[in-house]
Amino acid sequence: MNQAPRHPRFTPLRALVTGLAATIVVTVAAGGVFLLNDPGRPVAGEAVPSPAILPDPIAPSAPPRQIGGPGVPVTPPQLLGIAPRPVPQETVLRIAKVKHVQKVALVGGGGVKLSGHPLQLLAVEPAQFRSWTPEPVAQHPEVWSAIARGEVVADPAVMKRLGMVLGKEYQVDNGPRLRIAASADLGFPNIDGLISKDLGARLGFSDGVVVLVHGDNVSGTRVRKLMGDGSSVVPIGEVKQEREQQPAARTTLVGRPASYLELYQKSAAVCPGLSWTVLAAIGQVESSHGRNNGPSSAGALGPMQFMPATWRAYGVDGDGDGVADIWNAYDAVPGAANYLCATGAAGGGESLRKAVWAYNHSWDYVNKVLGLAGAYARAYP
């Protein structure tokens, strides 16, 4: 990435073109997402004043919910083109007729200095652009709601390089303060993050200068020629490489029960001596049985509101699909049982209280969960 000039308000688009031209082939990232939600959102498990602690009368019998809603068909780009000026619509139509091209899109782009750090960003419409990203990014609603709120989704590599922190606001040189709301592996060469089209306009970005092309074996030379002098086209392809060895997911089969109630009951068997009512109480307090899967303001995720680091240590593959998925209730509930067991929950009494405290460091939380567990025992004898 070229260094931005010292004093202008925004990095010239030419810097974006030059930086992209230096990249020939990149690896399409796996698409991991790290998020922080609105700062006012309650911390996972935070005690909420209530006149009575009662079991949810409906949700326990409902089927476990999956996050993300209907799937988004993913059509990642094979070519990414940068033009020195907005690309006319007639040029886009010509590119669409190039052999093997299946889909073309135009987005905005430009550069800013964020707290003195030069960043190259794409300015996009979330609903139209999400299919161009890796599947885990496309399927995660919080990435797109963060962009719609006028916040920044940053590539994790640039965050690490610049020491940026999720949830923190950074000052645009001679511009507004912007919050880094999410971090996602986007898979685009020398692109540091995403913002909304509206925010891009406020920052002085040029609209329609970045061309995305989906299709196998499309001629980059032909696309660049159609885009005109000064344009650059970068192929984006998956490179075979040795990946870091990840530990295999621990399998703790509970299957896919038809209701949360049954899921809590089967998952308790992961920790002999632990009552399923404790899992049901935690599930209600943390996410209302999957109705609010986060992320929380603390960064907890999924129906049982695990912190990612804790999940890596105690998460399990509960439904036998080969993946320990923090968002999947069939994995998250037995994962919670696994964690509670590791912290002594099976011993009952004071050991159980300490285990629930380990789940969320608040004695008010412990009292709420165990009181609700007792109410579940009375409601479902």
Side-chain angles (χ1 to χ4, degrees):
M1 183 67 61
N2 288 350
Q3 180 68 34
R6 292 183 61 183
H7 299 296
R9 181 176 179 185
F10 302 111
T11 305
L13 184 62
R14 174 66 61 184
L16 183 61
V17 176
T18 304
L20 287 175
T23 303
I24 304 303
V25 179
V26 300
T27 301
V28 177
V33 184
F34 299 91
L35 307 153
L36 278 179
N37 209 343
D38 292 338
R41 192 167 186 165
V43 174
E46 185 175 64
V48 179
S50 173
I53 302 175
L54 300 172
D56 190 311
I58 298 175
S61 61
R65 295 160 58 95
Q66 299 296 316
I67 192 168
V72 177
V74 173
T75 53
Q78 276 70 52
L79 297 176
L80 188 150
I82 306 293
R85 61 191 67 84
V87 177
Q89 189 60 36
E90 53 266 30
T91 299
V92 175
L93 294 176
R94 292 192 186 101
I95 293 173
K97 295 179 180 179
V98 172
K99 188 175 181 180
H100 302 306
V101 170
Q102 300 176 25
K103 184 179 175 182
V104 182
L106 272 180
V107 299
V112 297
K113 292 187 75 176
L114 207 61
S115 294
H117 302 305
L119 298 181
Q120 305 295 347
L121 306 173
L122 297 184
V124 304
E125 290 281 4
Q128 300 170 1
F129 184 76
R130 63 190 301 177
S131 66
W132 292 94
T133 60
E135 186 170 4
V137 181
Q139 303 291 4
H140 204 298
E142 182 59 24
V143 169
W144 308 102
S145 60
I147 293 173
R149 289 194 302 264
E151 298 173 322
V152 180
V153 174
D155 189 274
V158 74
M159 291 192 66
K160 181 177 180 180
R161 176 168 56 86
L162 300 179
M164 291 182 167
V165 179
L166 279 176
K168 186 175 179 180
E169 290 187 347
Y170 294 87
Q171 181 69 50
V172 174
D173 289 9
N174 300 316
R177 291 181 66 81
L178 299 180
R179 181 170 178 262
I180 307 294
S183 177
D185 292 321
L186 302 171
F188 300 140
N190 290 357
I191 297 297
D192 298 317
L194 305 176
I195 58 175
S196 70
K197 182 178 178 180
D198 289 344
L199 179 56
R202 287 170 51 201
L203 295 174
F205 283 15
S206 297
D207 190 29
V209 293
V210 179
V211 178
L212 304 172
V213 179
H214 173 72
D216 294 329
N217 300 316
V218 177
S219 170
T221 301
R222 177 60 176 157
V223 171
R224 184 182 59 78
K225 184 175 180 180
L226 289 171
M227 290 177 62
D229 293 340
S231 298
S232 175
V233 173
V234 180
I236 302 176
E238 186 171 358
V239 178
K240 292 183 178 179
Q241 60 180 13
E242 293 295 326
R243 297 187 178 271
E244 181 181 354
Q245 290 294 320
Q246 299 293 333
R250 172 180 168 179
T251 300
T252 303
L253 290 177
V254 297
R256 286 180 168 259
S259 69
Y260 261 108
L261 185 62
E262 185 183 357
L263 177 58
Y264 293 133
Q265 292 169 339
K266 286 192 172 184
S267 296
V270 172
C271 183
L274 173 66
S275 172
W276 68 267
T277 61
V278 175
L279 294 174
I282 290 175
Q284 179 169 326
V285 172
E286 296 289 1
S287 72
S288 189
H289 311 297
R291 290 170 176 154
N292 182 14
N293 287 338
S296 75
S297 59
L301 308 174
M304 299 303 277
Q305 288 291 278
F306 272 95
M307 296 300 290
T310 306
W311 179 256
R312 285 193 291 272
Y314 296 98
V316 302
D317 172 18
D319 57 5
D321 65 355
V323 178
D325 184 356
I326 197 171
W327 299 101
N328 183 349
Y330 302 114
D331 297 342
V333 176
N338 185 42
Y339 178 64
L340 288 166
C341 210
T343 52
E350 190 61 24
S351 295
L352 174 60
R353 289 181 58 82
K354 290 179 179 178
V356 176
W357 184 88
Y359 203 96
N360 188 305
H361 295 350
S362 163
W363 290 112
D364 287 340
Y365 175 85
V366 173
N367 293 334
K368 183 173 185 177
V369 164
L370 295 183
L372 185 53
Y376 266 104
R378 293 187 293 273
Y380 301 90

